[in-house]
């Protein structure tokens, strides 16, 4: 996933691998977190199913219970997977102490835990959308334990 405005941001701070995007200011933190948490397609699917995405672990469990009707739509499947991964990352960032968004030079957002472990939530979200495994709530539980 490429996020165009981050190209200019990176030019100011350098192209090193693993650019932490929340270290400079609180406004950076809030702006990027807000952008990555939009997940419009996933939120729309969840809303139609009566699920409220409130950035909680319980909402991940509810998403895991959705009937995967999107798998028949090859066009929306990768987008929904991206959104699922970004939503998983949003829940982690907002509930796991020390977790931050990090954007790799190619534009791929990942979650970096306090331990230094990086979690590629977008890949996980795509796998969940395509196959249903690993479950989002299971991934969250693994990360929250660390």
């Amino acid at each position: 996933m490429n996020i165009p405005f981050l190209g200019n941001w990176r030019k100011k701070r350098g192209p090193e691998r693993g650019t932490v995007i929340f270290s400079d200011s609180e406004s950076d933190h809030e702006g990027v977190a807000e952008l990555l948490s939009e997940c419009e397609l996933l939120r729309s699917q969840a809303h139609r199913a009566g699920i409220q995405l409130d950035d909680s672990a319980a909402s991940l469990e509810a998403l895991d219970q959705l009937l995967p009707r999107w798998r028949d739509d090859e066009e929306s499947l990768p987008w929904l997977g991206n959104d699922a991964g970004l939503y998983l990352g949003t829940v982690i960032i907002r509930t796991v102490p020390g977790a931050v968004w990090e954007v790799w030079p190619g534009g791929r957002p990942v979650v970096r835990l306090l331990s230094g472990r990086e979690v590629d939530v977008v890949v996980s979200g795509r796998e969940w959308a395509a196959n249903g495994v690993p479950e989002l709530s299971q991934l969250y539980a693994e990360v929250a334990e660390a």
Side-chain angles (χ1 to χ4, degrees):
M1 180 175 151
N2 189 15
I3 305 172
F5 81 84
L6 289 176
N8 291 334
W9 187 91
R10 249 189 242 101
K11 286 177 189 172
K12 294 177 189 173
R13 289 164 181 80
E16 71 277 354
R17 183 183 184 281
T19 304
V20 179
I21 58 179
F22 292 153
S23 61
D24 291 336
S25 72
E26 188 65 25
S27 64
D28 277 354
H29 171 73
E30 291 172 7
V32 175
E34 189 66 30
L35 175 70
L36 295 176
S37 71
E38 285 181 4
C39 314
E40 288 182 42
L41 182 58
L42 181 70
R43 289 183 187 278
S44 171
Q45 293 270 348
H47 179 73
R48 281 187 289 223
I51 297 171
Q52 180 183 354
L53 299 184
D54 60 0
D55 302 343
S56 69
S59 66
L60 294 172
E61 292 172 14
L63 286 172
D64 287 337
Q65 300 305 312
L66 280 176
L67 290 176
R69 293 187 174 109
W70 59 82
R71 290 189 188 137
D72 295 332
D73 184 354
E74 290 186 26
E75 279 188 39
S76 67
L77 183 63
W79 291 103
L80 187 73
N82 271 346
D83 279 7
L86 293 175
Y87 184 70
L88 171 63
T90 297
V91 174
I92 293 169
I93 296 300
R94 294 188 175 160
T95 61
V96 175
V100 295
W101 282 111
E102 182 173 308
V103 177
W104 290 347
R108 185 194 240 18
V110 298
V111 172
R112 186 163 44 88
L113 304 176
L114 197 55
S115 67
R117 176 181 168 204
E118 293 176 341
V119 182
D120 193 336
V121 291
V122 172
V123 167
S124 297
R126 287 180 179 167
E127 290 173 1
W128 173 82
N131 306 311
V133 288
E135 292 183 337
L136 298 174
S137 59
Q138 177 186 5
L139 288 166
Y140 174 81
E142 287 175 22
V143 169
E145 277 183 15

